[in-house]
Amino acid sequence: EMSETTTEKRTYVVPQPRIAAEDMERWEKSQTYKEYYGFILKLSEMVKGKPNSTEPSKVVDGILLILEKMEQLMEQAPPTAQPTRYGNKAFRTWFALVEQNAKELVESILPDSLKEASIELVPYLVNCIGNQTRIDYGTGHEAAFATWLLALCKIGVLDVEKDGVAIVTKVFLKYLNMMRKVQKTYLLEPAGSHGVWGLDDYQFLPFVWGSSQLIGHPHIKPKSIHSDEVLEGYADEYLYLGCIKFTKAMKRGPFGEHSPYLNDISFVPHQLWEKVNAGMCKVYSIEVLNKFPVIQHFLFGSILPFS
């Protein structure tokens, strides 16, 4: 693999979707697929046994501020009174505000030598909040955020070895909380949801990384998701439990009825978090990375090319 030397200056480009249905096999063998999936798995390994309150890394403060400012822009886009269950039109107002501010926000974390990379980084950040036409959100948008973080690592703004834990426990957590607020405020349609047989209407990565965080926990077991006491006490510390708590708050009826997939996992006898995590990692590649309806929106540029 060619390493970049300082003499070669990268020419940044606006990243574009490149995958057609017939490219799926080539995508699954591509370098970018390996890098992206490798990034997800590496972060999973890094947060093993680590709660969200693990020592922050200063480097991520600027990224947290970007997300903070994106969330603050929601105040200028209050939901409109409308009869439909899904898809509040005010989401488009917020989306446009994020789009207008994205370049400035991204440049706030780039050193002068990398300012021109913003042209390539901005579309990933804008894409991570959902689709403004369909007013929906799903694992492809979540993947755009992870891709943005990977791109920041690749150009040296972040260092996965040093910042990996904080990328999950601080940055991704902040993003997740922002998106929950967005989902509640604008009632986003779940994009390509499997309905009741999916893992979750909107997210996937917090189950991958969150199951790793719980490996080796002395008393929280997979079946502990049914304990309100555990959820109350630990939802803020562990991504997996935070997701369960949010789902329970948002959905009516018995957990086993609205979330049978998660429910089944919790009832496997002698279930270990290691097994849950291995399963989540595998299912992520099958249900997200290898699914054309999701991956057709994946953006490629100079940082993450489709070759």
Side-chain angles (χ1 to χ4, degrees), residues 148-220:
W148 183 65
L149 295 170
L150 170 58
L152 289 174
C153 289
K154 287 204 70 175
I155 63 172
V157 173
L158 289 172
D159 174 349
V160 74
E161 299 298 338
K162 287 201 201 80
D163 309 315
V165 175
I167 285 173
V168 175
T169 62
K170 300 290 179 279
V171 176
F172 188 78
L173 177 66
K174 178 87 173 158
Y175 165 72
L176 191 56
N177 285 331
M178 174 180 79
M179 287 317 304
R180 283 178 183 150
K181 188 174 169 183
V182 171
Q183 288 152 16
K184 277 203 281 202
T185 306
Y186 304 118
L187 307 171
L188 302 189
E189 187 89 59
S193 163
H194 293 291
V196 68
W197 288 108
L199 179 61
D200 182 84
D201 279 347
Y202 299 110
Q203 314 297 156
F204 203 124
L205 288 172
F207 294 97
V208 175
W209 296 332
S211 53
S212 179
Q213 284 182 298
L214 286 159
I215 289 173
H217 196 283
H219 58 263
I220 300 175

Side-chain angles (χ1 to χ4, degrees), residues 31-255:
Q31 181 61 26
T32 292
Y33 181 104
K34 281 195 204 73
E35 281 187 18
Y36 177 83
Y37 191 35
F39 181 64
I40 301 305
L41 297 177
K42 182 171 183 61
L43 292 175
S44 177
E45 196 54 42
M46 288 181 83
V47 297
K48 196 186 274 187
K50 296 188 168 78
N52 292 336
S53 56
T54 307
E55 218 37 52
S57 100
K58 276 283 156 259
V59 184
V60 303
D61 287 352
I63 300 177
L64 297 176
L65 201 58
I66 290 177
L67 294 165
E68 186 63 43
K69 287 177 174 169
M70 284 164 69
E71 195 174 313
Q72 281 166 3
L73 291 169
M74 289 172 73
E75 289 161 22
Q76 296 171 45
T80 53
Q82 60 176 53
T84 53
R85 183 167 159 232
Y86 276 124
N88 194 291
K89 305 238 180 335
F91 174 72
R92 293 184 180 137
T93 312
W94 179 61
F95 191 98
L97 287 166
V98 171
E99 225 170 10
Q100 286 154 27
N101 288 276
K103 185 174 189 286
E104 189 190 334
L105 290 174
V106 168
E107 286 182 351
S108 72
I109 55 166
L110 300 176
D112 288 345
S113 60
L114 286 172
K115 290 278 190 246
E116 63 216 47
S118 70
I119 182 178
E120 191 156 330
L121 294 166
V122 161
Y124 291 112
L125 184 65
V126 172
N127 260 308
C128 82
I129 62 173
N131 180 290
Q132 86 270 44
T133 314
R134 296 188 304 271
I135 314 186
D136 70 4
Y137 174 89
T139 52
H141 303 107
E142 180 190 72
F145 186 68
T147 310
W148 183 65
L149 295 170
L150 170 58
L152 289 174
C153 289
K154 287 204 70 175
I155 63 172
V157 173
L158 289 172
D159 174 349
V160 74
E161 299 298 338
K162 287 201 201 80
D163 309 315
V165 175
I167 285 173
V168 175
T169 62
K170 300 290 179 279
V171 176
F172 188 78
L173 177 66
K174 178 87 173 158
Y175 165 72
L176 191 56
N177 285 331
M178 174 180 79
M179 287 317 304
R180 283 178 183 150
K181 188 174 169 183
V182 171
Q183 288 152 16
K184 277 203 281 202
T185 306
Y186 304 118
L187 307 171
L188 302 189
E189 187 89 59
S193 163
H194 293 291
V196 68
W197 288 108
L199 179 61
D200 182 84
D201 279 347
Y202 299 110
Q203 314 297 156
F204 203 124
L205 288 172
F207 294 97
V208 175
W209 296 332
S211 53
S212 179
Q213 284 182 298
L214 286 159
I215 289 173
H217 196 283
H219 58 263
I220 300 175
K221 303 286 179 256
K223 64 170 184 282
S224 306
I225 65 164
H226 303 289
S227 157
D228 291 340
E229 211 177 337
V230 168
L231 294 182
E232 249 348 280
Y234 296 96
D236 295 339
E237 277 290 25
Y238 294 99
L239 294 171
Y240 196 99
L241 301 178
C243 285
I244 302 284
K245 186 182 172 187
F246 183 70
T247 298
K248 284 187 171 183
M250 296 296 281
K251 297 194 165 178
R252 295 199 174 86
F255 188 73

Side-chain angles (χ1 to χ4, degrees), residues 16-19 27 32 36 124 143 147 289 294-300 304:
Q16 305 286 347
R18 298 228 185 271
I19 296 181
W27 155 244
T32 292
Y36 177 83
Y124 291 112
T147 310
L289 296 183
V294 179
I295 288 306
Q296 64 179 332
H297 305 293
F298 198 99
L299 301 175
F300 298 90
L304 292 159

